[in-house]
Amino acid sequence: MKKQIALLTTLTSACFYPLVLEANQAKTVNVMAPLEMTNEAAWNTFQNQLYTAKNMGIDAVSVDVWWGKVEAAGDQNFDWTYYDKVVEKLENASMHWVPIISMHQCGGNVGDDCNIPLPNWIWTAYGSVNQNDLKYLSEQGNYSQETVSLWADDLVLPQYQQFLEAFEAQYASKASMIDEVNISMGPAGELRYPSYNSHDTGTGYPTRGAFQAYGTRAVTDFQNWSMARYQNLAGINQAWSLSLTNINQVVPPSNAEFFINQGDQFNTQYGKDFIRWYHESLVAHGKRMMDMAISSLDGALNNVELGFKIPGIHWKMGITDNTRRSAEMAAGLIPSDIDLTSRNTAHGYETILSLVESYKANPRSVILHFTALEMDNQNYAPQYSLAKDLVFWVAEGAADKGVVIKGENALAGGVATQTGWNNIENAFRYASYEGMTVLRIGDVTNGGTGQSRYSQFITDFKADTGTTDQAFISFSCNNASTYLGQSVYVVGDIAALGNWQISQAIKLDAANYPNWQASISVPANTQVQWKCVKREEQDASAGVEWQAGANNQVTSGNLGQTVQSSGSF
């Protein structure tokens, strides 16, 4: 009981989370692959990371299947070479796969180190349709090319369907290794608008972002929605206290900054309606995408679970002026015409959670993924973040609707800190998260805090941990000076330590350089022989220097126990 109470004291005091005596168990523990691997050294590193991940007890690897990579050469001209190699590496390590069907650009988001645009032919694929009408147009007058606008779903959905059907045909024989298929629904693969992306200026964290509803198709849809709601122009004028003379005068806010700062989104019917339409348009897009995915993956993958992700947009939450919750509104995640402080509305997320809930009656249910599990509240200028509260609010809403929700960290640095992992564990101990996916594999397989804490998390929270035989050895290699590009590894006579293969050795952490250390998951109650070895990070055969003398020997402890063992150069 003392452990639970200690953890609870680290939770925010802004709201109360009920004490739970037993931790929720994680049904899945996954990692994300690199966005793209462009040379053989990167592929070799990935293979080694997979071996380490397997030894840690990680279940599967999320991999973006980029539309712009597979179908770049032309409509219906598919090239799966890259993903065939991914599957080969996964199979080598006996790892499972969570493909993300990524109909968005790689590049332009925080942490992106790639440049894979959408297939260029898509912009001219519809004859007389102006290519800009396929793109989001922001309040700043800028077009986004990261995804096709949701207001062009009627045109592009058949292309998405062909892509998914081709994927299923290509990997039908691999169905047994595919645990889940995630469906990209917007920028960064998330169900949201590109409200804080690089095509606009001054819209990133921690600002209110920018509305993306100014394209021709979006404006027409807003006009049609308004007419359907109020029957005619006279009804619109009465509701909005205006004197419009033409339906073409029904447009998004001409000065969105003034609109938000004045509080029109909360205080005028026009403002409430605009945010409501904007939000409902996003949710309707999510339904169209999921329905399309279900109908497309109806063959060899018809029993595989489907999922999608929404981001934890946690800034502009705690501020008390009219800009409160505005970043979430610009992303389309919440409306403004409900009580955003109530559990009954899931603090604004009720509509999206209802979308997920609607598939419970479907033979194939849908999993919701949510980010920012590692983050603290920072309710002060300029961010006014309530990240930790948001993590719990969305999970609470999911639990109320019986929706399966799984978590991710939002930023790679979050799993390199003890605080980040404490927050992740709190979310699993006190909220309804049923799975964890870490961004990215290298952050938890290259030694240090990320690897040691994820290994411990798996022991403490993985649903089937009790049936495994894993313990931990904390390895130290001391007095190990290296040159740039060279690191220290541990290698030994068991699979978890590479079976004496230097290419599969486990990299240690240099936080206390020249002493190197890492805690590694190993079979319990097993005698282990091992040695320290130096090698280059990108070439396992270069810079090799073995620890002198006889092999180090250690016997691992009981299930979940950690023992120490050290060597020296």
Side-chain angles (χ1 to χ4, degrees):
M1 185 62 156
K2 291 181 180 178
K3 182 178 180 182
Q4 282 82 359
I5 293 174
L7 279 169
L8 187 60
T9 62
T10 69
L11 293 170
T12 174
S13 60
C15 59
F16 173 75
Y17 308 127
L19 182 63
V20 179
L21 297 182
E22 297 294 333
N24 285 339
Q25 292 196 322
K27 295 179 180 177
T28 57
V29 286
N30 298 340
V31 289
M32 295 183 192
L35 290 169
E36 185 184 24
M37 290 163 282
T38 57
N39 56 56
E40 201 58 34
W43 283 106
N44 291 337
T45 297
F46 180 55
Q47 184 70 85
N48 291 332
Q49 291 169 340
L50 291 173
Y51 289 129
T52 301
K54 181 65 177 180
N55 291 332
M56 290 170 62
I58 292 170
D59 296 315
V61 182
S62 289
V63 180
D64 283 284
V65 181
W66 299 109
W67 183 29
K69 178 182 282 288
V70 174
E71 208 172 351
D75 189 8
Q76 298 294 290
N77 189 346
F78 300 103
D79 180 359
W80 299 102
T81 305
Y82 180 90
Y83 295 101
D84 291 343
K85 190 168 184 176
V86 168
V87 170
E88 176 190 348
K89 300 297 184 184
L90 292 171
E91 289 183 318
N92 287 345
S94 300
M95 292 293 291
H96 280 214
W97 186 18
V98 178
I100 307 168
I101 307 301
S102 298
M103 282 82 70
H104 63 282
Q105 169 184 299
C106 184
N109 288 288
V110 175
D112 286 358
D113 56 359
C114 59
N115 181 27
I116 306 173
L118 299 190
N120 191 56
W121 54 263
I122 193 64
W123 304 117
T124 57
Y126 302 103
S128 61
V129 177
N130 187 313
Q131 63 177 282
N132 282 338
D133 288 343
L134 304 178
K135 303 171 184 177
Y136 287 110
L137 178 61
S138 78
E139 65 184 63
Q140 296 186 7
N142 301 317
Y143 288 99
S144 170
Q145 299 192 90
E146 288 191 46
T147 60
V148 178
S149 164
L150 64 82
W151 288 288
D153 277 354
D154 59 315
L155 297 175
V156 77
L157 275 175
Q159 292 291 348
Y160 297 157
Q161 181 159 355
Q162 290 168 7
F163 183 44
L164 263 71
E165 289 172 347
F167 172 83
E168 182 178 53
Q170 179 71 16
Y171 296 109
S173 64
K174 308 298 181 182
S176 62
M177 68 180 290
I178 298 176
D179 290 350
E180 180 186 337
V181 176
N182 277 188
I183 306 301
S184 159
M185 294 185 174
E190 298 164 338
L191 181 64
R192 66 171 174 90
Y193 294 105
S195 57
Y196 52 92
N197 293 48
S198 58
H199 64 291
D200 286 325
T201 58
T203 60
Y205 172 88
T207 73
R208 66 170 182 85
F211 292 112
Q212 306 292 314
Y214 291 77
T216 301
R217 283 175 159 252
V219 173
T220 298
D221 189 59
F222 182 40
Q223 292 166 353
N224 292 338
W225 182 91
S226 302
M227 286 290 283
R229 183 175 180 88
Y230 294 112
Q231 307 305 315
N232 50 45
L233 193 60
I236 294 173
N237 280 329
Q238 182 179 2
W240 294 354
S241 300
L242 297 175
S243 300
L244 306 177
T245 59
N246 190 294
I247 188 61
N248 291 329
Q249 295 172 310
V250 173
V251 292
S254 58
N255 186 333
E257 185 79 6
F258 180 83
F259 170 83
I260 290 293
N261 288 339
Q262 286 294 110
D264 286 354
Q265 72 277 26
F266 296 117
N267 302 321
T268 71
Q269 192 58 47
Y270 164 78
K272 294 176 184 178
D273 283 348
F274 171 71
I275 300 296
R276 169 60 65 177
W277 160 78
Y278 188 71
H279 169 64
E280 288 184 352
S281 296
L282 183 72
V283 176
H285 167 69
K287 179 169 176 51
R288 289 191 295 268
M289 292 293 289
M290 193 53 64
D291 288 347
M292 176 275 300
I294 289 172
S295 64
S296 300
L297 302 177
D298 61 350
L301 303 182
N302 68 338
N303 290 320
V304 176
E305 291 183 306
L306 300 180
F308 72 92
K309 179 166 65 173
I310 60 173
I313 298 182
H314 52 88
W315 56 99
K316 284 287 187 183
M317 293 188 67
I319 197 168
T320 56
D321 64 19
N322 287 329
T323 67
R324 65 189 181 278
R325 311 295 297 271
S326 57
E328 295 160 277
M329 291 178 196
L333 297 174
I334 61 173
S336 62
D337 57 355
I338 58 175
D339 183 354
L340 298 177
T341 68
S342 172
R343 176 171 180 162
N344 292 334
T345 68
H347 295 265
Y349 287 83
E350 194 275 335
T351 320
I352 289 176
L353 291 169
S354 291
L355 168 65
V356 184
E357 182 188 29
S358 70
Y359 290 97
K360 288 172 62 178
N362 191 293
R364 177 185 286 177
S365 62
V366 170
I367 296 168
L368 180 67
H369 294 261
F370 189 71
T371 65
L373 265 68
E374 84 279 20
M375 291 187 170
D376 279 321
N377 283 354
Q378 295 180 346
N379 192 14
Y380 45 80
Q383 59 265 45
Y384 293 99
S385 166
L386 294 179
K388 187 180 288 188
D389 287 356
L390 183 60
V391 164
F392 278 83
W393 289 345
V394 175
E396 184 180 67
D400 288 345
K401 291 184 176 296
V403 165
V404 174
I405 187 169
K406 297 184 179 183
E408 301 177 3
N409 57 303
L411 300 175
V415 292
T417 69
Q418 300 292 346
T419 298
W421 278 105
N422 291 343
N423 288 339
I424 290 168
E425 290 192 359
N426 276 334
F428 277 84
R429 191 172 299 278
Y430 300 109
S432 61
Y433 291 93
E434 296 187 23
M436 181 66 193
T437 300
V438 168
L439 166 77
R440 296 188 179 270
I441 187 170
D443 297 311
V444 291
T445 58
N446 289 342
T449 299
Q451 183 170 337
S452 62
R453 286 299 299 266
Y454 202 19
S455 296
Q456 192 62 52
F457 175 90
I458 292 168
T459 296
D460 291 345
F461 291 92
K462 182 68 169 71
D464 60 1
T465 295
T467 64
T468 68
D469 59 352
Q470 296 300 291
F472 296 88
I473 299 176
S474 179
F475 292 96
S476 298
C477 290
N478 301 320
N479 302 318
S481 298
T482 57
Y483 57 80
L484 184 64
Q486 185 189 45
S487 291
V488 176
Y489 295 73
V490 60
V491 65
D493 65 349
I494 59 174
L497 300 181
N499 287 322
W500 293 117
Q501 299 297 309
I502 296 179
S503 63
Q504 298 180 30
I506 307 302
K507 181 181 174 183
L508 303 183
D509 179 65
N512 296 313
Y513 184 87
N515 301 324
W516 302 63
Q517 188 274 335
S519 181
I520 297 171
S521 175
V522 298
N525 301 307
T526 300
Q527 189 175 66
V528 178
Q529 295 194 45
W530 68 278
K531 271 196 169 184
C532 307
V533 62
K534 300 178 185 178
R535 47 157 272 209
E536 291 191 2
E537 296 171 6
Q538 301 301 321
D539 184 354
S541 63
V544 175
E545 180 183 345
W546 287 88
Q547 171 193 344
N551 295 338
N552 307 307
Q553 295 191 35
V554 62
T555 299
S556 60
N558 295 325
L559 171 67
Q561 187 178 16
T562 299
V563 298
Q564 310 286 326
S565 188
S566 64
S568 183
F569 283 93

